[in-house]
Amino acid sequence: MDRIMLGHGSGGRLMHQLIKEHVAPAFGLKMLADSAVLGPDEFSGCRIAFTTDSYVVSPIFFPGGDIGGLSVNGTVNDLAMVGAKPLYISAGFVIEEGFPMDSLRRVLVSMAGAAVKAGVRIVTGDTKVVDKGKGDGIFINTSGIGAIRHGINLGARMVRPGDKVIISGTIGNHGVAVMSERNGLSFDPPVLSDTAALGGLVEAMLGFEKDIRIMRDPTRGGVATTLKEIASECGLPVILNEESLPVPGGVRGACDILGLDPLYIANEGILLAVVPPETAESLAGVMRKHEHGSATAVIGVIGAADPGRKGMVLLRTAIGGTRIIDMLAGEQLPRIC
Amino acid sequence: MDRIMLGHGSGGRLMHQLIKEHVAPAFGLKMLADSAVLGPDEFSGCRIAFTTDSYVVSPIFFPGGDIGGLSVNGTVNDLAMVGAKPLYISAGFVIEEGFPMDSLRRVLVSMAGAAVKAGVRIVTGDTKVVDKGKGDGIFINTSGIGAIRHGINLGARMVRPGDKVIISGTIGNHGVAVMSERNGLSFDPPVLSDTAALGGLVEAMLGFEKDIRIMRDPTRGGVATTLKEIASECGLPVILNEESLPVPGGVRGACDILGLDPLYIANEGILLAVVPPETAESLAGVMRKHEHGSATAVIGVIGAADPGRKGMVLLRTAIGGTRIIDMLAGEQLPRIC
């Protein structure tokens, strides 16, 4: 492959290859993390989380949200996923000549509102303008920094056989909302993006159980790709119960029409967590009391170390079969975030 | 004005208006800083600098550099300008479908090389792909964090009448290099971009004189716009000697041909500093010994508080006249960084 394809931005296998084979090695890294954990030596003993994301979602306004709020929430969530308290956000705009000032104002107001809700401050920024036809309305990069809570150690290395897999909400809403807007479809009731900041939910979770093993937000590539990443990193199988997966009726219907699989659709307001088995159910109870966790479900378990199933994601289907879940290959929904 | 124009990205008056009237107020800020200084409360007593920049330079390869190295150096410099030791960089890519993989590799290698040279690490990243015709090859956002040195207090509030203004190198090289590549012009000797990381130079400067008042790198909008920013912020006049301004012959010639003013051309490897008068000459001597400060010159002085000249930049011309220097109005060189 000698040219970049849309699939290189999908969050799936092609993107992982691109990053693993080209980007990360160029920077002397094994993998380019969503959030880096830095310090404590350079920062007076403090550990800092640092993350970046560019948002190119099309269209920029969609049911349940817009690129502005999305760009704040997404970056807040990347910080929250590594156990950090999200604190500060930067905003880098690449705007196409001719972009309506009204739309810019709407996007800015949405960013500001999302920041207030998430308890973070937008503190630095940059604005670039490109000639008409050399961009697409507006692209937003947000980067974020947060302070890692003391006594929190998250990571694939903490995952043990028998641990439970929890999801904090229903699947597929964001991707279907954007897709329906893009294709001029409407559903009744409408499917709304789940875009939300999860810092508060994570705080409640870590307050109840500080030994959570790992958290990830299943954005591009969806729940399937994120679980496959976790399974690969910890070298253990993840076994899912299809019947426990919370897929709303609207998403199910849209997926039937559009030929999509909910497991691969981007989400922007839910998280996956691998947690100790003893407290999984009570932790789920704590999460259900939270605004962004009301549909929390225990959806699976980490299997025993077994060379034949190392790093696999296995879906136990409703009729008793087992389906092997892989990363998203190629491109299902371009420019979803 | 109800639509974004190219001039909104120029670094000049239009961009300042856009940010001051729309972006900053939306985020509850007076102005959106190039680098924010954060802490110490949230970070165990440490003060942290945080900055972001998106790079949309066209063409991406130009004499003396490319978008990759530029994106690292520019962000390192924003950190250095607030007295921070640059430490970590994020990389957010927005790539157009069909972009040659070879060019991507070249850009990545350039970023990695610049990071090594600047002593920073690229630790987190993000890759998005947009459809052909909805971008322009590659846009790169880099954000950066650094630790602020103890005992350093930079800012317009520290500037006093009588302070000297120092520039660390010659003017206009970056802008002319990009412009010549864009227009298929070549000069003999060629004018090369000055893109460079200034962390080391700043370290040497602060090591010699910790009471430096303020530093800025004159990128978009050039030396004129940056000095006008400093003058406005401190409310004192800046008085420049035209004869001390180091403009290389090649830049002078190119400006004659292209109808440009060197004072408004973007630079990517020099800094302006306002410094105490007593040590200005010896500090300039220290800077001249540094790789990126060999052409350092004292170019002006901060005038006395005077209601009639408050916040003005005045250029004493070679023939004894005085010219009032304002910010760049509109757009001189779009997509220069």
Side-chain angles (χ1 to χ4, degrees), chain B residues 152-164:
Chain B
I152 299 300
N153 263 307
L154 297 162
R157 70 193 176 285
M158 312 302 288
V159 175
R160 300 281 172 272
D163 285 347
K164 297 293 171 103

Side-chain angles (χ1 to χ4, degrees), chain A residues 3-4 33 42 88 98 128 143, chain B residues 3-4 42 54 88 98 124 143:
Chain A
R3 292 194 176 267
I4 291 289
E42 311 89 324
Y88 297 105
K128 294 290 190 318
S143 299
Chain B
R3 292 194 176 267
I4 290 289
E42 311 89 323
S54 296
Y88 297 105
T124 181
S143 300

Side-chain angles (χ1 to χ4, degrees), chain A residues 2-4 26 33-34 42 44 48 53-54 88 98-99 101 112 124 126-128 131 134 141 143 220 335, chain B residues 2-4 26 33-34 42 46 48 53-54 88 98-99 101 112 124 126-128 131 135 141 143 220 335:
Chain A
D2 61 347
R3 292 194 176 267
I4 291 289
D34 279 347
E42 311 89 324
S44 321
I48 287 175
D53 258 321
S54 295
Y88 297 105
F99 186 66
M101 202 65 97
T124 181
D126 176 58
T127 308
K128 294 290 190 318
D131 344 32
K134 300 291 185 185
N141 175 284
S143 299
R220 279 184 292 173
R335 299 185 56 190
Chain B
D2 61 347
R3 292 194 176 267
I4 290 289
D34 279 346
E42 311 89 323
C46 189
I48 287 176
D53 258 321
S54 296
Y88 297 105
F99 186 66
M101 204 64 98
T124 181
D126 176 56
T127 308
K128 294 291 191 312
D131 345 32
N141 175 284
S143 300
R220 280 184 292 172
R335 297 185 58 190

Side-chain angles (χ1 to χ4, degrees), chain B residues 32 40 42 46 115 148 160 208 222 247 275 279-280 290 311 313:
Chain B
L32 208 55
E42 311 89 323
C46 189
I148 307 255
R160 300 281 172 272
F208 179 81
V247 184
V275 306
T279 52
H290 194 279
V313 179

